[in-house]
Amino acid sequence: MTLHPQIAAFAAQLDDLARLLKAQDNRLWADRIALIHCTVADSNFAGVERFLALFEGEGGFASVHLDNAEADSELAACRTAALAMARRLAKEEQPSD
């Protein structure tokens, strides 16, 4: 089954995030993102919801930083892009009045 282009782009962004986190030995977040990636890659909207939920509360994904400055900058850019994609997908999923 071919994914919708926006879903495919979001899944690719999640894959990039998981690989970056894994390369920087942040297995906890790498595994969380990889699990969400699998859900999204299966065209399951719950993956979008789960990703957005990672940003709720203290200690969420928004507060994750890496020791390497270059990798941390890349993380921030990838995270921002993925969050924008997820928000757009969530907005499109909501029924219009």
Side-chain angles (χ1 to χ4, degrees):
M1 174 173 79
T2 303
L3 291 176
H4 184 279
Q6 289 180 338
I7 299 291
F10 181 52
Q13 192 69 49
L14 292 173
D15 188 49
D16 289 347
L17 272 170
R19 289 175 192 263
L20 172 62
L21 290 162
K22 185 176 179 180
Q24 295 299 312
D25 294 323
N26 191 324
R27 296 288 306 182
L28 174 70
W29 285 103
D31 291 346
R32 288 178 181 177
I33 299 298
L35 184 61
I36 291 169
H37 169 264
C38 290
T39 305
V40 170
D42 284 341
S43 285
N44 187 336
F45 185 76
V48 174
E49 293 170 331
R50 287 183 185 135
F51 182 76
L52 291 171
L54 294 179
F55 291 87
E56 297 173 1
E58 284 186 43
F61 190 48
S63 67
V64 173
H65 294 283
L66 303 174
D67 293 333
N68 178 306
E70 185 177 329
D72 193 53
S73 178
E74 185 178 350
L75 172 63
C78 286
R79 179 174 44 210
T80 299
L83 182 56
M85 290 176 187
R87 285 178 174 159
R88 184 172 42 246
L89 290 167
K91 185 177 180 178
E92 290 176 5
E93 186 70 13
Q94 292 178 348
S96 58
D97 294 331

